[in-house]
Amino acid sequence: MRLPDPAGAADPMPGFGRPCPDDAAPESLGPPARRPTPLAIDDLREAAERLRGQAVRTPLIEAEALSARTGRRVFLKVESLQRTGSFKFRGAWNRLSRLDRDQRRAGVVAWSSGNHAQGVAAAARLLGVPATVVMPADAPALKTRNTRALGAEIVPYDRRRESREAIARLIAERRGAVLVPSFDDPLVMAGQGTVGLEIVSQVFAAGGEIGQALVPCGGGGLAAGVATAIHAAAPGARIHPVEPAAFDDTARSLVSGRRESVREGGVSICDALLAPAPGELTFAVNRRLLSPGLSVDDEAVRAAMRFAFETLKLALEPGGAVALAALLSGAAPRSEGDVVVVLSGGNVDPPVFAEILAAAPSLRALA
C-alpha cells in the first residue's frame, strides 16, 4: 500500500410480500472503560430529523412464507433498498452533515470493507466534501466500483498485513481531515439506530408486537442503534446480534462481559461483517441491551440468499443475509411475539451471486 499525496485530489466522478462493519486485537481486550452510555433514544430521534429527506424510509414487509414456516408473524426490514444498498448511509449522513465549514473543506477519511465506504462517499458528494476511504485490496469489486463512482478516493490495503485504521489516521493527520469510523462513533451509531425507530413505528402500524429482533453484527453499530430504539418501545423484546461463525466476537464478548477479538484464521463470505472485535462504544451499549449472540456458517448464509431471491424476490449480500439465515436454520431461539429480521445490505458481486444461486439445494428442500 502506498499512501496518497497529502494534497492529492479524489478520483474523478463518472458520469415482495405485503408492505407493512481493523486492527488486529489481542484475544481479550479487557473490560469496557467506565463512561456514560454513548447512545440514547433522543440521539436517534435527532438523527432521524437530520436524515429526513435524505435517507429512504425502507419498507418493512410481512413475509407470509416465513410466518407460515415458523408459526409466528415475521417482518423483514429491507435495508438493502436503502440509498447505496445498505443501512450505512444513515450513519454516514448523520456524521458528515454536522461538519463545520472548515472541516468540510479539509475532507473526511474512513475505513471500510465497502458498505460504509459507499455511505460515506454518497454523503460526502451530496455535501460537497472530499472523501478518502481505506479499503481492502480484495474488497468486492462492486463495492469498490460504486465507491469510486460516487467520487471518493480509494486507498487499498492488505487486510492480512496492514492496519486500515493506522493508514486512515495517518492520511487524516497529513491532510487535517476528519476521521469517520465505520461503527465506533456516537453519531454513526445514532444514524444506524434510525433503522430501529422505523421498525418500531412500522411494526406497531401493522398491529404487531415485537418479541424478537435478529440483527446482522460486525462492529456492533447497527445492533446498538436498533436495540436502543426497540428497547425504548418494547423493553421485553429480545435483540439478538447475528454473526458469521468464524467472527463471533460479539457473541463471545456478551458471555465474558468484556470485548473479545476474533480467533485467528477465520474466513467467511460475509465481507461486511469481518470486524476484528466489537467497538468500545458499541459494546458499552450492546452488553446492556442485547440478548445472546447467534452465529451462522457460510452454507446457511448461501441458503438464505437463495431463499430470499427465490421466495421473497430480494437480492441480498452475504452479510445482509445472516439474520435471515439464523431464522431459517433454526439458530434463532423460539420467542414470544413477532419476529423482526433486518436485511442489512444487498451489495453483492454479480458473479458471486450467480454462483450462489446456481448451487443446490435451496432451502425449499427443507420445507
Side-chain angles (χ1 to χ4, degrees):
M1 189 283 305
R2 181 180 178 181
L3 289 177
D5 184 88
D11 293 337
M13 285 185 287
F16 286 116
R18 198 165 76 202
C20 303
D22 299 323
D23 291 333
E27 182 63 23
S28 172
L29 301 180
R34 295 184 179 276
R35 64 171 67 196
T37 300
L39 196 61
I41 190 65
D42 285 344
D43 299 323
L44 275 59
R45 292 170 178 152
E46 183 180 350
E49 286 301 314
R50 190 168 287 269
L51 281 159
R52 191 181 303 277
Q54 299 297 334
V56 176
R57 182 179 173 88
T58 53
L60 185 87
I61 61 174
E62 183 168 358
E64 295 175 353
L66 289 171
S67 297
R69 181 189 293 268
T70 62
R72 296 175 287 173
R73 291 183 78 184
V74 177
F75 296 95
L76 306 176
K77 181 59 170 171
V78 192
E79 279 296 293
S80 55
L81 300 181
Q82 183 53 258
R83 199 167 195 158
T84 72
S86 86
F87 71 95
K88 289 286 192 176
F89 176 79
R90 297 173 182 264
W93 178 267
N94 194 43
R95 181 69 181 87
L96 269 64
S97 66
R98 298 170 190 261
L99 298 176
D100 62 32
R101 181 179 300 177
D102 289 340
Q103 290 173 325
R104 293 189 184 194
R105 185 180 301 112
V108 296
V109 180
W111 55 83
S112 170
S113 62
N115 284 337
H116 182 59
Q118 293 171 87
V120 168
R125 184 170 73 168
L126 289 167
L127 293 165
V129 176
T132 300
V133 185
V134 179
M135 297 181 68
D138 61 351
L142 179 71
K143 295 180 178 180
T144 300
R145 185 166 62 249
N146 288 349
T147 301
R148 184 172 286 115
L150 286 164
E153 176 186 5
I154 295 176
V155 177
Y157 80 102
D158 184 335
R159 72 168 83 224
R160 285 166 289 277
R161 297 189 302 107
E162 298 179 297
S163 163
R164 63 182 187 175
E165 292 188 9
I167 295 168
R169 292 183 191 283
L170 180 57
I171 296 171
E173 182 180 352
R174 287 180 174 181
R175 298 180 178 178
V178 176
L179 283 170
V180 183
S182 51
F183 50 83
D184 216 26
D185 178 281
L187 294 174
V188 171
M189 294 160 62
Q192 321 305 28
T194 61
V195 174
L197 291 180
E198 292 177 13
I199 287 172
V200 169
S201 172
Q202 292 167 316
V203 170
F204 288 175
E209 179 181 349
I210 303 173
Q212 182 185 72
L214 307 177
V215 186
C217 185
L222 177 63
V226 169
T228 298
I230 291 179
H231 273 288
R238 297 179 67 79
I239 319 298
H240 295 277
V242 186
E243 302 170 286
F247 293 81
D248 63 344
D249 45 293
T250 291
R252 291 187 291 107
S253 297
L254 293 172
V255 172
S256 71
R258 59 189 185 184
R259 294 163 62 223
E260 305 285 348
S261 66
V262 298
R263 300 183 178 93
E264 292 186 7
V267 294
S268 174
I269 62 173
C270 301
D271 61 278
L273 304 179
L274 306 185
E280 180 180 354
L281 300 182
T282 60
F283 188 61
V285 175
N286 289 335
R287 71 194 300 264
R288 294 186 305 105
L289 299 182
L290 294 186
S291 295
L294 311 175
S295 62
V296 291
D297 62 28
D298 283 355
E299 280 308 306
V301 171
R302 291 185 180 97
M305 292 172 68
R306 289 192 290 270
F307 180 89
F309 186 77
E310 295 173 358
T311 305
L312 305 174
K313 310 309 175 187
L314 294 171
L316 301 177
E317 65 181 281
V322 293
L324 179 60
L327 181 67
L328 290 168
S329 68
R334 182 83 183 182
S335 67
E336 298 297 323
D338 304 325
V339 182
V340 177
V341 179
V342 179
L343 309 178
S344 58
N347 291 308
V348 56
D349 275 349
V352 173
F353 193 45
E355 181 180 355
I356 289 173
L357 293 181
S362 75
L363 278 176
R364 289 176 301 179
L366 302 178

